Amino acid sequence: MAQILDGKELSKKVKENVKIEVDKLKEKGINPKLAVIMVGNNSASAVYVKNKSNSCRNAGIDFEEFLLPEETTEDELINLIEKLNKDNLVHGILLQSPVPKHINIDRAFATISPEKDVDGFNAINVGNLTIGRDCFVSCTPWGVMRMLEEYNIDLEGKTAVVIGRSNIVGKPMLQCLLSKNATVTICHSKTKNLEEVVNKADIVIAAIGKPNFVTGKMIKEGAVVIDVGINRLEDGKLCGDVNYKEAFEKASYITPVPGGVGPMTVAMLLENVVKAAKGL
Ligand code: NAD
């Protein structure tokens, strides 16, 4: 039976610390501020943005939303990002994905000043993460690292398997684990013998987007299981990428969905805004 890694509780602790840091900055005359840009109507994005806005306000972080219409051109979006880059009152800039198809999101991410890139998606931050320099790290993998640290889960020499190779979760997760001296394997949709690979892992991180993909059978006895996936089932319930019931019986530690990695992602965003306000 596994011990639960409680992201909800830990995120509260992180947010309380953020608030203390924000108050200190305000005493020095710095008001940390996050600008969030959303292009077009996407109900899931709107929920995420609302969640970020509430969390910022609770922590005392100024929050400004830029809701751009679907027909916004790429150049208009780039112009707005450039304007925010120059605005000294804005410390963090976040572009909510997805954006409409006619916009090249990579160009937009590349335009965000690396010092204000609190999502850690700009190639400069990605590169700095790869060579081990201080930088903004994508909030989800960074939140996973914070959880592992909080529960004193040592990574040195451990075998870790990340399932999923996205730019926002899988790849930065690999770099984070590597920086703590784990031996890391990435699995993806073309991986052969995935079950066999996962079965050897001391740490399993699932970031796939497929409900109950990781079964109990795939998990080594005593492994640490981190479920990044957020999937909405037909009955409206949320579930992760891991079959929680089965994995719970085999793992030493496990994250629930909801209440695991999800809350940590927002908490780390707030931490990154404070970091940006202090000056990276
Ligand atoms: P993505 O769609 O960009 O990437 C999914 C990855 O899964 C791909 O790299 C793909 O190769 C891999 N994959 C797909 N099918 C596979 C298979 N059969 N075998 C092995 N690998 C397979 O997704 P993402 O943005 O990385 O998100 C992954 C999941 O994490 C989603 O459920 C998403 O909602 C969730 N997510 C959660 C948070 C959070 O805060 N908890 C943040 C970001 C994403």
Side-chain angles (χ1 to χ4, degrees):
M1 261 191 6
Q3 182 180 341
I4 292 170
L5 300 171
D6 189 342
K8 211 170 158 191
E9 266 315 298
L10 179 56
S11 72
K12 277 190 206 154
K13 197 166 128 183
V14 172
K15 286 176 181 176
E16 279 162 18
N17 283 335
V18 165
K19 194 161 182 341
I20 293 168
E21 292 299 312
V22 169
D23 290 344
K24 280 190 203 158
L25 283 166
K26 285 186 174 171
E27 277 169 22
K28 291 186 196 157
I30 302 166
N31 280 325
K33 179 173 175 179
L34 174 66
V36 171
I37 308 169
M38 193 165 98
V39 190
N41 294 318
N42 179 307
S43 54
S45 291
V47 172
Y48 291 137
V49 171
K50 181 98 195 129
N51 192 5
K52 287 169 189 170
S53 138
N54 288 340
S55 297
C56 278
R57 294 213 165 94
N58 289 338
I61 294 172
D62 284 349
F63 185 92
E64 190 170 358
E65 229 172 282
F66 295 84
L67 302 178
L68 308 182
E70 184 84 20
E71 59 275 14
T72 302
T73 65
E74 191 174 304
D75 285 343
E76 283 167 338
L77 173 62
I78 299 290
N79 286 343
L80 172 62
I81 295 173
E82 283 173 345
K83 203 175 114 215
L84 294 169
N85 280 343
K86 287 188 201 125
D87 185 341
N88 290 333
L89 297 178
V90 171
H91 302 98
I93 304 170
L94 187 155
L95 172 63
Q96 188 67 43
S97 69
V99 294
K101 285 200 173 64
H102 64 272
I103 292 174
N104 177 348
I105 200 162
D106 289 335
R107 185 178 164 222
F109 283 146
T111 307
I112 298 174
S113 158
E115 294 78 27
K116 297 191 179 190
D117 173 36
V118 287
D119 251 345
F121 293 169
N122 181 301
I124 304 272
N125 279 313
V126 174
N128 280 334
L129 174 65
T130 306
I131 58 172
R133 285 205 193 133
D134 189 24
C135 62
F136 289 113
V137 181
S138 176
C139 300
T140 301
W142 200 225
V144 170
M145 294 308 283
R146 179 59 60 83
M147 279 181 121
L148 295 171
E149 191 189 333
E150 177 74 13
Y151 285 86
N152 295 315
I153 296 169
D154 186 22
L155 297 171
E156 187 155 317
K158 301 280 167 58
T159 50
V161 169
V162 180
I163 318 174
R165 58 172 162 185
S166 70
N167 289 340
I168 64 164
V169 187
K171 286 180 194 159
M173 194 73 251
L174 157 86
Q175 295 300 341
C176 288
L177 294 163
L178 195 57
S179 75
K180 293 290 177 197
N181 299 320
T183 302
V184 195
T185 304
I186 283 246
C187 294
H188 46 79
S189 54
K190 302 282 185 281
T191 299
K192 294 204 170 103
N193 310 326
L194 185 131
E195 283 198 30
E196 220 173 276
V197 178
V198 174
N199 203 252
K200 292 197 175 86
D202 301 313
I203 324 272
V204 179
I205 303 197
I208 311 151
K210 296 200 164 143
N212 300 318
F213 182 91
V214 178
T215 59
K217 206 173 76 186
M218 289 162 80
I219 292 163
K220 183 169 90 172
E221 196 73 47
V224 175
V225 178
I226 307 285
D227 192 352
V228 177
I230 303 177
N231 307 292
R232 187 149 314 263
L233 300 175
E234 274 177 14
D235 61 6
K237 283 194 184 139
L238 286 185
C239 98
D241 290 343
V242 175
N243 184 319
Y244 186 80
K245 252 191 184 165
E246 291 178 12
F248 186 82
E249 297 301 322
K250 306 238 344 239
S252 54
Y253 292 90
I254 191 165
T255 59
V257 178
V261 177
M264 291 304 295
T265 298
V266 181
M268 301 325 280
L269 171 67
L270 303 186
E271 250 197 26
N272 278 351
V273 176
V274 167
K275 184 171 172 164
K278 285 181 178 171
L280 180 64

